[in-house]
């Protein structure tokens, strides 16, 4: 369905507020910048900012909603004869091999993470998002396999699948914030994914194969 004029204007306003807020956070730090200063810079009211972003953390991590469901989308999109873990490894190899900004392989990622490093509430939000990723993976595995609520396998396998991405992202974050080149970090992370796959058991690698 085509986007209406009102919806487009709301989307553009939300994006403009987010972009301005991010610029202020990168320049001055997350803790010191106030919602009032963001509203003034964006030429909107404080209430307008809160209408789009219920919490200050939402202004800086507004694109994380897609990240929390990323692994679930990979699992749901697995090929015929492919397991959940293999689908995730395939998709991650493709994106990381392509030096995708979605995994932090971009200029300026170190500045982004520096803001988070000095903001305890942002760190807490990231930890919560990691839990959301895990919960979404487990729920997806239960749905895709038809597992009962008391079946522990979706929980156990889901934890391993979430660990794959968490480990790779942690490595990328550490290396990119150290000032290394994205292309180099990309190649090294692909090697890391191979090593991760070798550590996973056959039970994990063959779970939730699409028939």
């Amino acid at each position: 369905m085509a986007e209406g004029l009102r919806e487009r204007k709301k989307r553009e306003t939300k994006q403009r507020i987010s972009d301005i807020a991010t610029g202020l956070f990168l320049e001055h730090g997350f803790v010191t910048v106030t919602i009032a200063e963001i509203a003034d810079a964006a030429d909107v009211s404080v209430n307008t900012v809160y209408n789009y972003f219920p919490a200050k953390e939402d202004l800086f991590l507004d694109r994380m909603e897609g990240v929390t469901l990323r692994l679930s989308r990979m699992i749901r999109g697995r090929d015929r004869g492919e397991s959940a873990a293999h689908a995730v490894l395939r998709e991650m190899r493709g994106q990381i091999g392509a030096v995708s900004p979605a995994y932090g392989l971009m200029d300026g990622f170190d500045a982004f993470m520096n803001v988070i490093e000095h903001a305890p509430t942002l760190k807490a939000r990231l930890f919560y998002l990691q839990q959301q990723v895990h919960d979404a993976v487990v729920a997806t595995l239960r749905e895709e396999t038809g597992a009962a609520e008391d079946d522990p396998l979706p929980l156990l396998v889901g934890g391993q699948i979430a660990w794959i991405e968490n480990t790779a992202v942690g490595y990328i974050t550490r290396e990119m914030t150290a000032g290394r080149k994205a292309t180099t970090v990309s190649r090294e992370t692909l090697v890391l994914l191979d090593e991760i796959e070798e550590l996973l058991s056959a039970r994990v690698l063959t779970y939730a194969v699409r028939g």
Side-chain angles (χ1 to χ4, degrees), residues 180-199:
R180 303 190 65 210
K181 291 184 178 180
T183 52
T184 302
V185 176
S186 167
R187 290 194 299 270
E188 292 176 354
T189 308
L190 291 177
V191 174
L192 179 67
L193 286 174
D194 290 341
E195 295 175 347
I196 288 174
E197 184 173 1
E198 290 179 2
L199 291 173

Side-chain angles (χ1 to χ4, degrees), residues 155-196:
L155 179 65
L156 298 174
V157 176
Q160 293 290 293
I161 290 176
W163 169 74
I164 295 171
E165 183 177 63
N166 192 46
T167 301
V169 169
Y171 179 81
I172 291 170
T173 299
R174 187 183 71 221
E175 298 305 310
M176 290 299 294
T177 52
R180 303 190 65 210
K181 291 184 178 180
T183 52
T184 302
V185 176
S186 167
R187 290 194 299 270
E188 292 176 354
T189 308
L190 291 177
V191 174
L192 179 67
L193 286 174
D194 290 341
E195 295 175 347
I196 288 174

